[in-house]
């Protein structure tokens, strides 16, 4: 009994936190403000009033505090390469109802003849610093692996992963952008990229010439994934052809290999043109495979059927996709901006839909990336943003940078990242 009393007494002692956030508005808790105590990298308490002291105190002033932003799709090796190219690839990707998407990829590949880790890393630093300034703490980043790019992009991204450790967590995807079957030597380079330390195996099966080659591409990617015990991310059916079937092939392969929950699809733009019964079949297969899809409706004229997928209970989230490269001229690694654009392109404008969009750049994106225990709750790792606005509507409207960003329980020094993020 005495022991119990003693313990209770200790619980009432003021606690010591690394960070204490005061007057925080949480989502769906309007009219009530909270305090959040953070210590040892984790959220330790969320209460009306916390009896404790902290090394750093933040007054949220009644503004919104949420999970930080997660971007599960960015071609990070290509950022800011637009000025190195003419606009032919861009015209082909966005024009002709996406019928020339394959030509666009072939045109865009020219930049890779100049690939060198030395200049890629500078662009990468700028884009990752921007992610942090806009409250992004987790990023799945693609690096092209083929005979032109060689391993230059992968090396730059692995270097950035180390440099930004504990500020922005980068999952490096070794990505066979120019194909596997049609690009001799790509499989060997992919294995070398995994051996160098890439985190995810990335494919693009729809780009192959025949259906048999598509299936082989998918098999090869899963072979490497199983060999290295890594997750899979594949860009599927990224053109305006309703006959494309690589999403289905990928889902079936994930089930056959026992890779449920470890395979993530990206784009799936041809889905917009699928007949309804075929869409239903693919949605059912995706659920069976535990396979989500990352949609980037702002980077192409077609997009996955996000609303219908949500109705079917498929995991859907949003990605930045590109920043000033051959495929898309804009982008700031600002996931609120991505959600703002998606709100228009998907016509998701009710308050319930805005909340869903917000999930698609936070918790759902985290789930897609396989991040464990991501959320604003006691015991979870403290990856948070303190915004300048009180609710999700205003967050989307302004899509402004947060006042504070917390990654791994530490305040990110935003000031020190500003010059890195600017255009030199
Ligand atoms: Zn993409």
């Amino acid at each position: 009994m005495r022991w119990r009393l003693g313990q209770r007494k200790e619980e009432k002692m003021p606690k010591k936190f690394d960070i204490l956030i005061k007057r925080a508005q949480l989502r769906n808790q309007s009219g009530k403000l909270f305090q959040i105590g953070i210590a040892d990298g984790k959220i330790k308490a969320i209460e009306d009033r916390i009896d404790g002291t902290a090394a750093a105190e933040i007054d949220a002033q009644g503004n919104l505090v949420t999970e930080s932003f997660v971007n599960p799709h960015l071609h990070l090796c290509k950022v800011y390469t637009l000025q190195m190219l003419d606009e032919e690839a861009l015209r082909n990707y966005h024009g002709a109802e996406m019928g020339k998407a394959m030509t666009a990829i072939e045109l865009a590949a020219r930049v890779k003849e100049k690939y060198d880790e030395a200049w890629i890393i500078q662009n990468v630093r700028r884009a990752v610093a921007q992610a942090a300034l806009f409250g992004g703490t987790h990023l799945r980043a693609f690096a092209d692996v083929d005979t032109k790019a060689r391993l230059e992009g992968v090396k730059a991204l692995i270097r950035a992963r180390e440099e930004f450790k504990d500020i922005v967590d980068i999952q490096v995807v070794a990505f066979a952008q120019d194909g596997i079957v049609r690009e001799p030597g790509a499989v060997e380079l992919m294995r070398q990229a995994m051996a160098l330390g890439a985190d995810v195996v990335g494919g693009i099966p729809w780009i192959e010439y025949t259906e048999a080659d598509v299936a082989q591409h998918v098999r090869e990617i899963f072979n490497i994934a199983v060999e290295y015990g890594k997750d899979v991310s594949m860009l599927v059916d990224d053109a305006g052809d309703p006959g494309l079937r690589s999403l289905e092939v990928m889902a079936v392969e994930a089930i056959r290999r026992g890779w449920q929950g470890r395979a993530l699809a990206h784009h799936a733009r041809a889905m917009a043109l699928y007949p309804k019964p075929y869409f239903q079949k693919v949605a059912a297969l995706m659920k069976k495979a535990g396979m989500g899809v990352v949609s980037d409706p702002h980077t192409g004229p077609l997009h996955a059927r996000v609303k219908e997928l949500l109705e079917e209970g498929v995991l859907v989230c949003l990605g930045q996709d590109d920043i000033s490269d051959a495929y898309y001229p804009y982008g700031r690694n600002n996931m609120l901006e991505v959600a703002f654009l998606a709100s228009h392109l998907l016509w998701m404008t009710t308050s319930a839909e805005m909340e869903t969009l917000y999930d698609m750049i936070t918790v759902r994106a985290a789930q897609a990336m396989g991040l464990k225990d991501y959320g604003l709750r006691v015991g979870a790792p403290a990856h948070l943003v303190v915004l300048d606005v009180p609710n999700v509507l205003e967050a989307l409207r302004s899509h402004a940078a947060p006042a504070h960003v917390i990654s791994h329980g530490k305040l990110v020094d935003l000031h020190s990242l500003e010059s890195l993020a600017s255009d030199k």
Side-chain angles (χ1 to χ4, degrees), residues 73 75 93 235 238 266-267 269 296 321-322:
H73 184 153
H75 296 280
Y93 189 59
L235 274 58
D238 190 15
H266 301 254
H267 291 317
R269 297 190 200 270
D296 325 275
D321 198 6
D322 302 280

Side-chain angles (χ1 to χ4, degrees), residues 15-44:
K15 297 186 188 89
K16 186 115 186 70
F17 298 99
D18 299 328
I19 302 172
L20 193 55
I21 307 173
K22 292 186 167 173
R23 295 203 288 163
Q25 177 68 63
L26 306 185
R27 284 174 68 195
N28 304 311
Q29 297 280 350
S30 113
K32 203 173 162 199
L33 299 180
F34 289 85
Q35 299 191 346
I36 303 168
I38 296 163
D40 305 323
K42 294 198 165 162
I43 299 167
K44 296 287 188 183

Side-chain angles (χ1 to χ4, degrees), residues 290-354:
M291 197 168 100
V293 64
V294 185
S295 187
D296 325 275
H298 58 288
T299 57
L302 297 170
H303 56 76
R305 283 148 84 152
V306 171
K307 279 182 171 175
E308 287 165 84
L309 287 169
L310 288 167
E311 273 168 33
E312 295 295 329
V314 176
L315 174 66
V316 191
C317 55
L318 297 169
Q320 169 70 66
D321 198 6
D322 302 280
I323 296 175
S324 292
D325 62 13
Y327 304 94
Y328 181 69
Y330 314 116
R332 300 187 291 168
N333 247 343
N334 177 354
M335 293 308 289
L336 274 175
E337 182 175 88
V338 167
F340 175 75
L341 293 169
S343 173
H344 296 78
L345 293 158
L346 305 170
W347 288 110
M348 291 175 69
T349 51
T350 66
S351 50
E353 286 170 332
M354 286 178 208

Side-chain angles (χ1 to χ4, degrees), residues 69-80:
F69 304 115
V70 177
N71 176 8
H73 184 153
L74 177 66
H75 296 280
L76 186 54
C77 70
K78 299 183 179 117
V79 293
Y80 311 114

Side-chain angles (χ1 to χ4, degrees), residues 76-333:
L76 186 54
C77 70
K78 299 183 179 117
V79 293
Y80 311 114
T81 54
L82 178 60
Q83 60 271 43
M84 294 170 72
L85 293 152
D86 55 37
E87 292 179 336
E88 269 310 295
L90 201 67
R91 257 192 291 278
N92 277 279
Y93 189 59
H94 292 164
E97 289 161 336
M98 293 202 74
K100 292 183 173 177
M102 193 185 283
T103 309
I105 291 172
E106 287 163 2
L107 288 165
R110 289 170 305 173
V111 76
K112 292 188 280 192
E113 286 158 11
K114 300 176 197 140
Y115 256 31
D116 187 336
E117 183 194 350
W119 64 257
I120 296 171
I121 185 69
Q122 294 175 31
N123 293 346
V124 167
R125 284 182 189 128
R126 182 180 161 199
V128 179
Q130 283 200 328
L133 289 178
F134 286 112
T137 57
H138 293 76
L139 191 56
R140 182 170 281 194
F142 290 67
D144 285 19
V145 174
D146 48 66
T147 50
K148 285 195 189 77
R150 293 153 283 122
L151 299 170
E152 295 301 304
V154 170
K155 286 181 193 162
L157 267 50
I158 288 175
R159 199 160 138 194
R161 184 180 67 194
E162 299 312 312
E163 289 179 7
F164 286 88
K165 199 169 180 282
D166 292 339
I167 299 170
V168 179
D169 286 12
I170 302 173
Q171 292 181 351
V172 178
V173 186
F175 175 49
Q177 165 84 78
D178 293 349
I180 290 275
V181 184
R182 58 180 277 185
E183 176 79 0
V187 175
E188 291 72 25
L189 282 164
M190 284 289 288
R191 285 203 163 79
Q192 287 172 29
M194 298 316 294
L196 266 182
D199 304 290
V200 178
V201 193
I204 179 165
W206 72 270
I207 205 178
E208 303 289 356
Y209 295 131
T210 69
E211 279 176 37
D213 292 353
V214 168
Q216 192 185 331
H217 183 122
V218 171
R219 278 197 306 274
E220 296 278 12
I221 292 294
F222 275 94
N223 284 346
I224 299 170
V226 172
E227 209 173 302
Y228 287 87
K230 299 292 188 187
D231 290 359
V232 167
S233 252
M234 282 203 237
L235 274 58
V236 293
D237 305 344
D238 190 15
D241 175 1
L244 292 174
R245 294 288 182 263
S246 69
L247 175 57
E248 177 190 359
V249 175
M250 180 186 174
V252 171
E253 195 70 16
I255 296 164
R256 285 186 183 147
R257 300 291 186 109
W259 234 240
Q260 287 95 335
R262 302 195 64 180
L264 182 60
H266 301 254
H267 291 317
R269 297 190 200 270
M271 184 192 287
L273 309 171
Y274 287 168
K276 184 79 177 175
Y278 180 64
F279 165 76
Q280 297 289 2
K281 177 194 166 186
V282 172
L285 275 171
M286 289 180 77
K287 275 202 285 185
K288 213 173 249 184
M291 197 168 100
V293 64
V294 185
S295 187
D296 325 275
H298 58 288
T299 57
L302 297 170
H303 56 76
R305 283 148 84 152
V306 171
K307 279 182 171 175
E308 287 165 84
L309 287 169
L310 288 167
E311 273 168 33
E312 295 295 329
V314 176
L315 174 66
V316 191
C317 55
L318 297 169
Q320 169 70 66
D321 198 6
D322 302 280
I323 296 175
S324 292
D325 62 13
Y327 304 94
Y328 181 69
Y330 314 116
R332 300 187 291 168
N333 247 343

Side-chain angles (χ1 to χ4, degrees), residues 21-34 36 58-69 336 354-355 358 361-362 376 384-396 398 400-406:
I21 307 173
K22 292 186 167 173
R23 295 203 288 163
Q25 177 68 63
L26 306 185
R27 284 174 68 195
N28 304 311
Q29 297 280 350
S30 113
K32 203 173 162 199
L33 299 180
F34 289 85
I36 303 168
I58 296 169
D59 182 2
Q61 300 173 17
N63 286 319
L64 197 61
V65 178
T66 75
E67 298 87 357
S68 55
F69 304 115
L336 274 175
M354 286 178 208
E355 294 291 338
Y358 206 94
I361 56 171
T362 53
L376 208 175
L384 303 172
V385 286
V386 180
L387 300 183
D388 263 336
V389 290
N391 55 48
V392 165
L393 165 64
E394 296 305 329
L396 289 171
S398 67
H404 303 281
V405 181
I406 294 164

